Amino acid sequence: MRLKISLLKEPKHQELVSCVGWTTAEELYSCSDDHQIVKWNLLTSDTSQIVKLPDDIYPIDLHWFPKSLGTKKQTQAESFVLTSSDGKFHLISKLGRVEKSVEAHCGAVLAGRWNYEGTALVTVGEDGQIKIWSKTGMLRSMLAQQGTPVYSVAWGPDSEKVLYTAGKQLIIKPLQPNAKVLQWKAHDGIILKVDWNSVNDLILSAGEDCKYKPHEHPITSVAWAPDGEIFAVGSFNTLRLCDKTGWSYALEKPNTGSIFNIAWSIDGTQIAGACGNGHVVFAHVVEQRWEWKNFQVTLTKRRTMQVRNVLNDAVDLLEFRDRVIKASLNCAHLVVSTSLQCYVFSTKNWNTPLIFDLKEGTVSLILQAERHFLLVDGGGIYLYSYEGRFISSPKFPGMRTDILNAQTVSLSNDTVAIKDKADEKIIFLFDAATGKPLGDGQLLSHKNEILEIALDQKGLTNDRKIAFIDKNRDLYITSVKRFGKEEQIIKLGTMVHTLAWCDTCNILCGLQDTRFTVWYYPNTVYVDRDILPKTLYERDASEYSKNPHIVSFVGNQVTIRRADGSLVQISISPYPAILHEYVSSSKWEDAVRLCRFVKEQTMWACLAAMAVASRDMTTAEIAYAAIGEIDKVQYINSMKELPSKESKMAHILMFSGNIQEAEMVLLQAGLVYQAIQININLYNWERALELAVKYKTHVDTVLAYRQKFLETFGKQETNKRYLQYAEGLQVDWEKIKAKIEMEITKERERSSSSQSSKNLGLKQ
């Protein structure tokens, strides 16, 4: 990725340019110390003077009033705030009419910023005051006051907090009067510029200590791209493009003097810089790259892409009518959004894309699954098939699409998951086909704030799982289908920084502290949590330095981006993926054969868990024996002797720890004694007595086993319910054993009669 710079031969302003601001993706306003406000049209390359300000007004900062979010009332900004050296700020219309001038500060007003909703304006000045104003320019409050000038200010993503500079310190002050103020030393020199991104919640700061990276001159401007993935840095004759993790994509040295202000266009494809020598510098982001398997796609010009197949070195050129805004390459399709249309290419045929018009225009995010893809723009979230058919548009109250990114939205073949911004402990789950909430509409709620979410990509809809990382960096997994019963949210790992699901089978990988971990079968936590450590693959990851990020997990290749921007490939064993394939097609003999060939404990452990999940206890017995879990082999053997299939089913459920479900299966089959017996075996005495009393049977059996249990440990009965029912009751073990024998015989007879009636039905 790099910047393509364009600069006029002669500057349009006579003095230094102090600020710039975009109205649309093709129109820019610039203000200068020559008192002129100039409009630039990038389509026609025309410039025109909008207004000449009075000679005592030297503009310092400009910010356009935000477009109303989520509605199409306003396609472009209609007015802006201009702060100036005379202590005033001016509300100016698009045509250049000064609607209102307000005395705001003693000395120059150094910055002015609208909040995201356009309901409030914050201004800061040389007098060290931070003031909040209404939309019409009425003073609401003085937020803070300090002894040094405040050079820059930014709103928090929720418009509830304000970030401002105080010499070498940065301060975050909430609007609520008694809320906690956050302050820290950020630089070794005076801080000149700050920016706070609403999508990734990260803060940029730049100052006279010449950092962000060691430059020769003070950093005079920084600005986030709207999607929060990249940012731009301006200094003397310097323009740099950087990734959100800090490493540099490109460094340009245009002849501009100091760049005092940087503004990104609304679609995030280009930047404008206000230069000290009277120029306005424009730079387009080009040479972005997308890779998938053997294909590499590069944006060579604003409207041209180059596709290279690395297997045969074939090259295709893709031409577009309008400039490219966003693209995504995955699942054998390239999806490209331009300013007006969406193009869908198949990797099998680059010549005939499918094209459809976009509703809103500026797409901020594209996500792909095997069957469909998702577009996010200012108006909403839309799902389309690869044939261009509109599928659905999930919505929830208070949804803000401008702050969604790949960490907070996840897509699979049947589900869309979106992390809420208003309450970060909640995940909304939608049916991809209808756009309606999944199941009974219950939200997925967690005890801590959630940072990143990811849906698994393969398997049946009913087995769909979602993995997420919370703010303590713990990794959890839970089922997506939520009907009535509270689904378990189970912890998989701690200190996990980044995660990704494999695109071909449900294998999960993550970077865990200083280790790279692969969960070959994450569902093991629902089947047999004891053997989870045996289903993992781990290797040292300290070589990737701090804060590495998993870019993709395709087949058995994991791509990791290190903190310095370099890409590292990790290959994992291909065998677990083959095992997943065999098990999904119920080829149990092939699965066992594969494990015998590979001779790895992780494979046997995965097979054991997969077999129990699919209720294939014969395979499970072989697999458990191979990993030395003798107690489990014996338990599986004991199941074979059970008389009825309901009893077998209940014991399989108990094996996986689902005791309530096991009890329910027995009770529904009318096997009350067996339900009581499993509670006795598990020492659930309260529940055993409750069932016996409820069904008026085997109360004496429960009391007898309880008495035997207490005698073994030399204890006296203290439970009031047991004392109540035991009053005047003599335990007769002979009688109890006879009753139990009768129950078992009854179960056998029932089982054989149902089997014979089934056989009779088959003969007929």
Side-chain angles (χ1 to χ4, degrees):
M1 202 186 292
R2 67 175 184 86
L3 291 170
K4 188 179 171 191
I5 301 275
S6 53
L7 205 58
L8 295 177
K9 282 182 183 167
E10 291 298 319
K12 292 288 178 185
H13 289 285
Q14 309 307 313
E15 300 279 344
L16 74 82
V17 183
S18 55
C19 45
V20 286
W22 298 85
T23 55
T24 66
E26 301 290 1
E27 187 180 80
L28 179 99
Y29 279 50
S30 63
C31 304
S32 163
D33 279 4
D34 61 7
H35 312 292
Q36 289 188 68
I37 298 179
V38 172
K39 178 167 86 172
W40 303 68
N41 186 325
L42 271 70
L43 285 175
T44 58
S45 303
D46 290 343
T47 55
S48 55
Q49 182 182 315
I50 292 292
V51 66
K52 188 159 188 327
L53 298 166
D55 286 350
D56 58 339
I57 295 181
Y58 288 89
I60 295 175
D61 193 20
L62 168 160
H63 194 213
W64 283 94
F65 187 78
K67 294 190 288 180
S68 32
L69 297 170
T71 62
K72 293 186 189 171
K73 288 178 194 164
Q74 222 175 312
T75 52
Q76 59 185 57
E78 293 298 332
S79 64
F80 61 92
V81 61
L82 185 76
T83 69
S84 60
S85 58
D86 58 356
K88 294 179 182 173
F89 68 81
H90 312 273
L91 300 176
I92 303 175
S93 77
K94 195 167 182 256
L95 301 170
R97 193 171 73 249
V98 180
E99 306 281 359
K100 193 171 190 178
S101 294
V102 179
E103 286 278 357
H105 293 265
C106 296
V109 185
L110 297 175
R113 282 281 171 270
W114 295 107
N115 69 357
Y116 290 98
E117 294 75 33
T119 52
L121 170 75
V122 62
T123 62
V124 295
E126 283 183 330
D127 56 4
Q129 294 182 347
I130 295 98
K131 293 181 176 179
I132 307 285
W133 308 80
S134 74
K135 188 175 164 180
T136 52
M138 306 294 286
L139 181 64
R140 279 195 189 154
S141 66
M142 194 197 304
L143 192 65
Q145 184 164 9
Q146 61 186 40
T148 53
V150 182
Y151 288 102
S152 188
V153 67
W155 286 94
D158 52 5
S159 298
E160 295 290 323
K161 300 186 272 291
V162 169
L163 163 76
Y164 60 89
T165 68
K168 301 173 188 179
Q169 307 269 332
L170 282 180
I171 299 172
I172 295 177
K173 181 149 169 98
L175 299 187
Q176 275 88 20
N178 298 322
K180 188 182 169 193
V181 177
L182 194 61
Q183 180 171 348
W184 71 98
K185 185 188 174 188
H187 286 259
D188 296 326
I190 288 173
I191 300 168
L192 301 175
K193 271 279 189 287
V194 291
D195 196 10
W196 193 344
N197 186 264
S198 64
V199 179
N200 61 28
D201 207 13
L202 294 175
I203 289 169
L204 280 178
S205 64
E208 289 184 352
D209 58 357
C210 309
K211 291 176 182 169
Y212 144 81
K213 286 260 194 309
H215 278 192
E216 297 153 29
H217 303 282
I219 310 290
T220 44
S221 52
V222 286
W224 280 109
D227 65 3
E229 291 299 315
I230 49 177
F231 62 89
V233 179
S235 182
F236 180 77
N237 283 0
T238 304
L239 191 57
R240 198 187 267 276
L241 183 69
C242 305
D243 184 77
K244 67 176 175 189
T245 52
W247 56 276
S248 178
Y249 277 110
L251 175 67
E252 301 292 336
K253 290 283 190 179
N255 182 22
T256 54
S258 285
I259 298 175
F260 290 109
N261 186 286
I262 292 175
W264 282 86
S265 63
I266 294 153
D267 58 16
T269 59
Q270 54 191 332
I271 52 178
C275 311
N277 61 3
H279 274 291
V280 172
V281 64
F282 292 97
H284 292 108
V285 180
V286 290
E287 289 187 21
Q288 283 157 287
R289 272 201 191 92
W290 297 268
E291 290 174 2
W292 182 77
K293 290 193 175 173
N294 52 309
F295 292 101
Q296 187 184 62
V297 178
T298 310
L299 181 71
T300 50
K301 296 179 190 161
R302 298 178 69 192
R303 298 187 178 89
T304 310
M305 278 181 160
Q306 184 193 71
V307 181
R308 182 182 293 276
N309 183 343
V310 295
L311 292 181
N312 56 13
D313 245 0
V315 174
D316 289 277
L317 279 182
L318 313 178
E319 300 280 347
F320 301 94
R321 197 183 71 186
D322 308 291
R323 71 183 180 288
V324 172
I325 292 174
K326 275 268 182 267
S328 173
L329 176 63
N330 206 343
C331 307
H333 288 86
L334 170 69
V335 181
V336 180
S337 76
T338 66
S339 47
L340 297 170
Q341 292 173 312
C342 182
Y343 294 73
V344 182
F345 297 87
S346 165
T347 53
K348 295 181 184 124
N349 179 5
W350 296 104
N351 302 321
T352 51
L354 194 136
I355 307 169
F356 60 90
D357 291 336
L358 290 168
K359 296 182 180 179
E360 174 89 9
T362 307
V363 170
S364 58
L365 180 67
I366 303 173
L367 290 181
Q368 289 175 258
E370 191 184 8
R371 293 183 199 155
H372 44 236
F373 64 95
L374 172 147
L375 300 179
V376 178
D377 64 22
I381 298 171
Y382 310 101
L383 259 87
Y384 291 92
S385 70
Y386 288 113
E387 291 78 49
R389 182 175 57 83
F390 173 72
I391 299 170
S392 67
S393 177
K395 287 184 180 69
F396 59 86
M399 179 169 81
R400 266 183 69 184
T401 55
D402 60 317
I403 54 174
L404 297 176
N405 64 5
Q407 279 74 49
T408 56
V409 185
S410 187
L411 176 69
S412 71
N413 282 337
D414 41 55
T415 313
V416 182
I418 305 166
K419 178 175 82 90
D420 189 18
K421 187 72 182 172
D423 182 354
E424 298 203 30
K425 297 176 182 176
I426 282 176
I427 300 172
F428 288 94
L429 299 163
F430 298 96
D431 185 331
T434 61
K436 295 194 168 79
L438 262 188
D440 52 9
Q442 270 190 336
L443 306 173
L444 198 162
S445 152
H446 185 53
K447 57 181 186 287
N448 293 322
E449 284 88 355
I450 296 163
L451 299 180
E452 187 175 343
I453 63 173
L455 287 161
D456 64 9
Q457 296 299 306
K458 290 287 175 181
L460 302 169
T461 310
N462 285 339
D463 298 333
R464 183 72 55 234
K465 298 285 186 289
I466 185 167
F468 60 86
I469 300 171
D470 69 8
K471 72 167 187 182
N472 295 337
R473 292 284 168 198
D474 290 333
L475 170 64
Y476 290 87
I477 188 168
T478 185
S479 179
V480 159
K481 287 279 181 184
R482 310 180 88 69
F483 286 101
K485 72 178 172 65
E486 188 58 41
E487 283 291 344
Q488 278 182 301
I489 298 178
I490 302 177
K491 189 193 281 194
L492 270 182
T494 55
M495 294 306 291
V496 180
H497 307 291
T498 171
L499 80 160
W501 287 97
C502 178
D503 66 336
T504 53
C505 57
N506 291 336
I507 296 176
L508 179 67
C509 73
L511 284 162
Q512 201 176 359
D513 205 9
T514 56
R515 299 188 314 286
F516 169 71
T517 308
V518 181
W519 290 264
Y520 283 136
Y521 187 58
N523 277 15
T524 307
V525 290
Y526 289 98
V527 180
D528 182 357
R529 214 179 294 189
D530 303 343
I531 63 166
L532 181 67
K534 293 182 179 176
T535 64
L536 305 184
Y537 164 73
E538 290 188 314
R539 62 177 275 180
D540 183 51
S542 51
E543 62 188 280
Y544 308 132
S545 65
K546 61 175 191 178
N547 295 333
H549 176 71
I550 297 172
V551 179
S552 65
F553 187 179
V554 179
N556 66 328
Q557 292 285 327
V558 181
T559 308
I560 293 175
R561 174 90 66 186
R562 287 171 28 164
D564 61 1
S566 58
L567 289 171
V568 183
Q569 298 278 352
I570 298 179
S571 290
I572 63 164
S573 166
Y575 298 121
I578 300 168
L579 186 66
H580 272 273
E581 205 177 305
Y582 282 154
V583 169
S584 62
S585 2
S586 298
K587 294 178 179 171
W588 295 105
E589 286 176 12
D590 291 349
V592 171
R593 209 172 292 127
L594 176 71
C595 290
R596 283 183 177 141
F597 167 70
V598 178
K599 296 189 185 73
E600 269 185 22
Q601 193 184 37
T602 45
M603 292 286 286
W604 283 115
C606 289
L607 180 61
M610 288 169 176
V612 174
S614 303
R615 315 271 189 261
D616 187 320
M617 300 319 278
T618 313
T619 309
E621 189 182 350
I622 298 166
Y624 275 117
I627 55 172
E629 299 275 341
I630 306 305
D631 52 336
K632 286 169 185 170
V633 174
Q634 285 179 331
Y635 188 71
I636 293 167
N637 262 325
S638 72
M639 283 185 209
K640 291 176 184 170
E641 293 158 17
L642 293 168
S644 67
K645 69 175 196 303
E646 287 87 0
S647 275
K648 283 177 184 164
M649 185 64 178
H651 280 268
I652 292 170
L653 286 166
M654 277 174 65
F655 187 92
S656 304
N658 301 323
I659 287 126
Q660 282 174 314
E661 284 178 45
E663 187 189 281
M664 207 182 294
V665 166
L666 292 169
L667 291 174
Q668 281 170 353
L671 301 172
V672 178
Y673 162 69
Q674 284 79 353
I676 293 168
Q677 189 62 51
I678 64 168
N679 280 297
I680 292 172
N681 293 348
L682 293 165
Y683 306 116
N684 289 345
W685 296 110
E686 290 276 350
R687 180 65 181 156
L689 185 61
E690 193 184 314
L691 287 172
V693 171
K694 184 179 175 183
Y695 290 96
K696 299 186 175 65
T697 179
H698 286 283
V699 177
D700 54 344
T701 309
V702 177
L703 293 168
Y705 275 106
R706 171 75 170 181
Q707 196 177 327
K708 192 178 176 184
F709 168 73
L710 291 170
E711 281 168 6
T712 309
F713 292 99
K715 300 276 184 188
Q716 288 295 314
E717 183 61 82
T718 54
N719 189 307
K720 283 179 183 172
R721 287 200 71 190
Y722 273 93
L723 287 167
Q724 179 192 336
Y725 285 102
E727 233 173 89
L729 190 85
Q730 284 294 317
V731 173
D732 185 347
W733 275 105
E734 291 299 321
K735 198 172 161 189
I736 287 166
K737 279 176 184 167
K739 272 171 81 175
I740 292 171
E741 279 297 323
M742 207 164 76
E743 289 285 358
I744 293 166
T745 311
K746 227 165 39 179
E747 186 184 352
R748 276 207 184 94
E749 284 168 2
R750 256 187 58 181
S751 177
S752 57
S753 67
S754 69
Q755 190 61 46
S756 56
S757 62
K758 196 186 278 183
N759 293 343
L760 197 68
L762 285 170
K763 280 176 189 171
Q764 286 172 352

